[in-house]
């Protein structure tokens, strides 16, 4: 897929010129370059690029060695999951694929894993019915993108704010021979380097629940896209766990819908599934929990939000 014709400056929204194998904005005098094979459209991403190459554990070699070298059966459930993630970030995709699926058991409740799988399938079914250019937002390790690539023959645009995960994703896509079907952009969802209504569908899986503020992102995706198909995980309005999020609109279904409608979207919630969930268990090696929330047991609502 050629994206050059739909790109624009993410800062001042004017057209870009091709220069020095990258893109140049005459108006704000910015150069957007290809770094390590990916187009970097971040407006302030130097701190994130500084982390690239330091490994998944950001230089904590002893812990990384324990995580990767301890026999799998001796690792706690969370350490198995973290090992799978570490293998992905190291580019050891064969080993990653051997343990990834199994490592979810013991960390998440059966209800959670079941609802997540069904929600992914529902979201993929909805996206398969769409025509035109599809952009997967906040692709991360590419859970949704992989399913879209394996169940369709189309090309995709992928956007994520993290250079580290974008680079590992590029390697993973090469490993699966999918790299020629995905154009990856490193960009902030609130400042997309894309022209007005240049995208037919923006899709995302649990992308919004990892962002900080709803309004700037909802406005920006409204400017860029005709439609939105988003797998979301919501909580009830009175949930104690909401004390640990910044913008409740990204975590409560009717607030999410209202916030979308405030900026011009018309939204519906589809295929809602409720699942009892527990805080993810603590890693014995790293001392952290894989997920920040829930902090106390609760019920998550898995929903696909469709907006036009
Ligand atoms: C949980 S992951 C999403 C999972 C992924 N969609 C999947 O299908 O497996 C969350 C991702 O959101 C990305 N992210 C967070 N804030 C963002 C933003 N403002 N713009 C773009 N990506 C963002 C993070 O870098 C991370 O990779």
């Amino acid at each position: 897929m050629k994206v050059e014709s739909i790109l624009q400056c993410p800062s001042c929204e004017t057209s870009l010129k091709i220069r020095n194998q990258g893109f140049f904005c005459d108006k704000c005098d910015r150069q957007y370059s290809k770094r390590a094979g990916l187009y970097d459209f971040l407006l302030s991403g130097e701190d994130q690029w500084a982390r690239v190459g330091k490994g998944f554990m950001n230089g904590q070699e002893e812990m990384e060695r324990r995580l990767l070298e301890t026999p799998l059966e001796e690792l706690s459930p969370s350490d198995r999951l973290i090992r799978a993630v570490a293998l992905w970030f190291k580019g050891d995709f064969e080993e990653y694929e051997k343990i990834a699926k199994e490592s979810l058991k013991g960390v998440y409740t059966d209800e959670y894993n079941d609802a997540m799988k069904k929600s992914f399938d529902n979201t993929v079914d909805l996206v398969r019915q769409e025509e035109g250019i599809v952009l997967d937002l906040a692709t991360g390790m590419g859970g949704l993108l992989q399913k879209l690539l394996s169940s369709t023959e189309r090309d995709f645009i992928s956007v994520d704010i993290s250079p580290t995960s974008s680079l590992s994703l590029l390697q993973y896509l090469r490993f699966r021979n999918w790299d020629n079907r995905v154009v990856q952009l490193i960009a902030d969802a609130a400042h997309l380097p894309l022209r007005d209504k240049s995208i037919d569908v923006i899709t995302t899986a649990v992308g919004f629940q990892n962002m900080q503020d709803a309004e700037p992102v909802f406005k920006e995706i409204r400017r860029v896209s005709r439609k939105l198909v988003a797998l979301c995980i919501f909580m009830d309005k009175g949930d104690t766990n909401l004390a640990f999020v910044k913008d409740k609109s990204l975590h409560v279904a009717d607030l999410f819908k209202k916030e979308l409608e405030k900026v011009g979207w018309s939204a519906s919630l589809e295929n809602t599934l409720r699942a009892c969930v527990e805080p993810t268990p603590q890693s014995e090696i790293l001392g952290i929990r894989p997920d920040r929330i829930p902090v106390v047991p609760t019920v998550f609502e898995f929903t696909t939000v469709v907006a036009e």
Side-chain angles (χ1 to χ4, degrees):
M1 184 193 299
K2 292 237 177 299
V3 289
E4 284 76 1
S5 63
I6 59 168
L7 293 175
Q8 67 175 27
C9 177
S11 173
C12 69
E13 302 190 359
T14 49
S15 302
L16 294 169
K17 298 212 167 97
I18 296 180
R19 190 193 286 178
N20 299 333
Q21 296 185 326
F23 298 96
F24 185 74
C25 175
D26 272 342
K27 193 170 167 201
C28 60
D29 214 22
R30 279 175 192 268
Q31 171 81 25
Y32 301 101
S33 301
K34 216 171 195 180
R35 292 173 81 159
L38 298 168
Y39 283 115
D40 175 15
F41 284 103
L42 291 178
L43 297 174
S44 56
E46 280 318 306
D47 49 334
Q48 299 189 51
W49 277 99
R51 288 177 58 101
V52 170
K54 292 205 171 145
F56 171 72
M57 304 281 294
N58 203 14
Q60 298 177 78
E61 285 165 19
E62 173 54 21
M63 275 203 239
E64 184 162 331
R65 195 188 56 70
R66 277 178 65 201
L67 195 63
L68 295 174
E69 292 178 10
T70 304
L72 190 64
E73 54 286 1
E74 290 174 25
L75 287 179
S76 72
S78 287
D79 287 315
R80 286 183 203 184
L81 178 66
I82 296 169
R83 165 130 123 203
V85 175
L87 288 167
W88 189 86
F89 276 96
K90 280 178 86 68
D92 192 344
F93 301 122
E94 275 172 27
E95 285 305 308
Y96 160 76
E97 287 191 342
K98 276 188 208 159
I99 67 168
K101 204 168 165 205
E102 202 58 28
S103 69
L104 297 172
K105 295 179 186 163
V107 174
Y108 299 103
T109 60
D110 290 347
E111 280 184 43
Y112 176 104
N113 285 328
D114 191 46
M116 186 66 107
K117 186 189 171 309
K118 286 184 179 142
S119 297
F120 265 107
D121 293 346
N122 288 333
T123 307
V124 170
D125 281 348
L126 289 171
V127 178
R128 275 161 57 92
Q129 294 164 28
E130 297 296 331
E131 306 265 317
I133 302 180
V134 180
L135 180 152
D136 183 51
L137 185 63
T139 301
M141 292 174 66
L144 177 60
L145 184 63
Q146 286 179 52
K147 288 181 191 293
L148 290 169
L149 284 161
S150 55
S151 64
T152 66
E153 292 190 348
R154 59 203 301 171
D155 295 345
F156 296 91
I157 300 175
S158 155
V159 170
D160 200 283
I161 201 170
S162 161
T164 307
S165 76
S166 299
L167 281 169
S168 292
L169 179 69
L170 173 65
Q171 284 161 20
Y172 184 66
L173 293 172
R174 285 182 181 150
F175 170 76
R176 298 289 303 261
N177 282 327
W178 280 330
D179 48 312
N180 60 346
R181 291 178 55 200
V182 183
V183 174
Q184 283 181 261
L185 306 175
I186 304 175
D188 183 345
H191 300 282
L192 293 170
L194 295 161
R195 294 193 177 181
D196 294 3
K197 295 284 180 271
S198 57
I199 302 296
D200 294 288
V201 186
I202 286 184
T203 182
T204 185
V206 204
F208 294 128
Q209 285 69 48
N210 281 275
M211 295 182 193
Q212 299 299 310
D213 297 299
E215 193 178 334
V217 175
F218 288 180
K219 265 192 190 153
E220 183 66 345
I221 58 172
R222 176 82 186 146
R223 179 185 69 74
V224 163
S225 184
R226 194 176 55 74
K227 192 162 184 175
L228 171 71
V229 179
L231 191 175
C232 294
I233 298 181
F234 294 127
M235 292 179 265
D236 291 333
K237 237 181 200 149
D239 198 310
T240 324
N241 293 292
L242 288 171
F244 300 91
V245 306
K246 181 167 177 245
D247 184 347
K248 289 190 180 56
S249 314
L250 293 168
H251 301 271
V252 176
D254 64 336
L255 300 182
F256 190 94
K257 190 167 180 286
K258 263 190 208 140
E259 201 66 36
L260 280 174
E261 286 169 352
K262 211 161 88 185
V263 299
W265 290 102
S266 163
S268 64
L269 309 183
E270 302 192 9
N271 300 313
T272 298
L273 297 166
R274 289 172 71 83
C276 292
V277 294
E278 301 277 336
T280 48
Q282 194 160 327
S283 146
E284 282 170 11
I285 294 179
L286 277 74
I288 53 157
R289 294 178 191 277
D291 289 355
R292 216 169 47 81
I293 44 177
V295 173
V296 293
T298 187
V299 173
F300 276 173
E301 199 175 86
F302 293 73
T303 297
T304 307
V305 177
V306 178
E308 285 184 271

